[in-house]
């Protein structure tokens, strides 16, 4: 069986609430390199202190996206691959999810620039942060995975942007690599753009769409080759016949219900951005106009 590396992004939902020291918002000001070094020392200290009591990477993350990401290994095995799952994290770098002996503390760090725990203020800074983080904490780079065999990646736009240097190096290998989602076309990598029109068939929320598409791609694998013409045709035929525009029929909410939702979600996810909250509300089938939600959010959070 051929070795297949599966690369997915992490999720902001964790099994535990992170300590204040492991929230990126509490890093001292400084250059990207200084902040990254400080952050890595904090993670290392918390990891050493927590020891065996810390959750494994398999159990650290929560939510629909992570549940589906873990199922990718099943689909890959059924397609004839020997697999290893990797998680790309703004807090940890690129890490193998297995074995379960690999542990980490709960943390809050993201490339989303509007989030309170953002590690960067621009795409350029995100790329710098990723480079420093990989140099100090990452367990592999994408091009190293490509040297071992095929690579399938399900990446959001912001992660693909931060990891672009590694994506370019992976594409330059001339091996077998596919990117589900991402930001732009990468020479040498077959890219399948996110298609919200497939969500009615694949189910789940928009946050898990890329990994669900990756699972479907593996299910359409015809000959044990990740990007063979037969596999591409099988996928394209299915996707073309299946995709349809999103039909929104969301349930209206009263101001009181919206406020309850905001209080509940911000208690579970301290620092979660207003944009992410509105997306989560809409993904749950609820309706709230953007400016109205913004005003209710400001009122609830005591902002002016």
């Amino acid at each position: 069986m051929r070795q297949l590396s599966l690369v997915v992004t992490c999720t902001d939902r964790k099994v535990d609430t992170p300590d204040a020291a492991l929230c990126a918002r509490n890093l001292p000001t400084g250059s990207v390199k200084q902040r990254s070094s400080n952050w890595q020392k904090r993670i290392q200290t918390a990891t050493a202190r927590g020891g065996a009591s810390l959750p494994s990477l398999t159990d650290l993350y929560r939510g629909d996206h992570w549940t589906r990401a873990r199922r990718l290994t099943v689909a890959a095995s059924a397609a004839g691959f020997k697999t290893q799952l990797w998680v790309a994290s703004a807090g940890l770098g690129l890490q193998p999810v297995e074995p379960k002996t690999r542990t980490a503390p709960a943390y809050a760090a993201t490339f989303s620039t509007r989030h309170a725990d953002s590690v960067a203020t621009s795409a350029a800074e995100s790329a710098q942060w990723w480079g420093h983080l990989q140099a100090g904490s990452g367990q592999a780079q994408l091009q190293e995975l490509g040297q071992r065999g095929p690579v399938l990646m399900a990446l959001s736009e912001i992660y693909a942007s931060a990891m672009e240097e590694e994506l370019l190096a992976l594409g330059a290998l001339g091996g077998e690599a596919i990117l589900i989602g991402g930001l732009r076309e990468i020479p040498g990598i077959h890219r399948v753009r996110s298609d919200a029109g497939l969500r009615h068939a694949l189910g789940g929320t928009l946050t898990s769409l890329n990994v669900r598409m990756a699972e479907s791609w593996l299910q359409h694998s015809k000959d044990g080759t990740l990007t063979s013409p037969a596999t591409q045709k099988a996928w394209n035929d299915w996707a073309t016949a299946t995709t349809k525009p999103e039909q929104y029929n969301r349930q209206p909410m009263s101001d009181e219900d919206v406020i309850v939702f905001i209080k509940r979600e911000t208690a579970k996810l301290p620092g979660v951005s207003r944009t992410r909250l509105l997306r989560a509300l809409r993904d749950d089938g609820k309706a709230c106009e953007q400016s109205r939600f913004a005003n209710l959010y400001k009122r609830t959070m005591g902002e002016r």
Side-chain angles (χ1 to χ4, degrees):
M1 299 177 72
R2 302 175 69 201
Q3 176 70 47
L4 171 64
S5 296
L6 301 168
V7 180
V8 299
T9 56
C10 68
T11 173
D12 58 4
R13 293 184 61 185
K14 311 291 194 304
V15 66
D16 296 312
T17 301
D19 293 338
L22 296 184
C23 294
R25 73 185 73 183
N26 295 321
L27 285 172
T29 57
S31 67
V32 173
K33 184 175 182 179
Q34 290 170 332
R35 295 174 65 251
S36 175
S37 177
N38 188 307
W39 173 261
Q40 291 179 66
K41 289 177 182 177
R42 293 184 181 198
I43 290 288
Q44 291 164 5
T45 299
T47 301
R49 186 187 305 121
S53 66
L54 293 178
S56 67
L57 288 181
T58 302
D59 300 325
L60 175 63
Y61 304 106
R62 286 290 185 267
D64 182 48
H65 164 81
W66 188 246
T67 298
R68 303 302 299 197
R70 291 176 60 183
R71 288 183 56 175
L72 281 179
T73 58
V74 177
S77 295
F81 294 101
K82 178 182 177 181
T83 64
Q84 184 171 26
L85 181 63
W86 293 75
V87 59
S89 160
L92 304 175
L94 188 58
Q95 301 288 335
V97 175
E98 298 289 350
K100 281 198 170 185
T101 53
R102 188 168 296 280
T103 61
Y107 63 90
T110 178
F111 288 123
S112 180
T113 55
R114 294 185 178 182
H115 196 286
D117 289 306
S118 179
V119 299
T121 59
S122 65
E125 282 194 1
S126 292
Q128 292 174 39
W129 175 278
W130 179 257
H132 292 307
L133 189 63
Q134 279 285 78
S137 302
Q139 295 299 304
Q141 294 193 338
L142 292 179
Q143 56 266 41
E144 294 177 56
L145 301 186
Q147 291 168 349
R148 302 174 190 176
V151 182
L152 186 156
M153 300 160 288
L155 302 177
S156 64
E157 290 186 3
I158 57 174
Y159 267 89
S161 177
M163 300 168 68
E164 182 157 313
E165 185 174 336
E166 288 190 31
L167 286 167
L168 290 168
L170 172 63
L173 289 177
E176 200 174 352
I178 181 170
L179 172 61
I180 308 293
L183 178 64
R184 57 176 63 92
E185 306 301 320
I186 301 291
I189 296 178
H190 182 80
R191 180 187 175 213
V192 179
R193 297 186 180 187
S194 293
D195 183 356
L198 296 175
R199 193 160 69 122
H200 75 99
L202 299 177
T205 64
L206 283 175
T207 56
S208 68
L209 177 61
N210 287 341
V211 291
R212 288 173 181 269
M213 288 177 60
E215 181 180 6
S216 181
W217 181 278
L218 288 166
Q219 291 168 348
H220 285 85
S221 178
K222 294 298 182 181
D223 49 14
T225 303
L226 195 62
T227 56
S228 70
T231 296
Q232 292 184 45
K233 183 178 187 306
W235 162 267
N236 290 336
D237 289 348
W238 173 81
T240 300
T242 304
T243 189
K244 61 174 62 174
E246 290 258 69
Q247 298 294 323
Y248 297 111
N249 186 23
R250 299 189 176 109
Q251 177 184 350
M253 299 177 72
S254 67
D255 286 358
E256 291 74 16
D257 287 340
V258 175
I259 290 171
V260 168
F261 170 84
I262 292 171
K263 289 180 176 178
R264 183 182 70 242
E265 294 303 310
T266 54
K268 290 193 300 184
L269 298 171
V272 63
S273 69
R274 188 178 72 204
T275 301
R276 188 178 293 270
L277 278 180
L278 178 57
R279 186 184 308 127
L281 182 144
R282 289 174 170 174
D283 284 348
D284 197 37
K286 302 297 193 301
C288 186
E289 195 270 330
Q290 186 172 356
S291 62
R292 174 172 167 246
F293 186 86
N295 290 332
L296 292 172
Y297 178 89
K298 291 176 181 177
R299 185 201 308 177
T300 306
M301 304 304 291
E303 297 180 3
R304 293 184 178 181

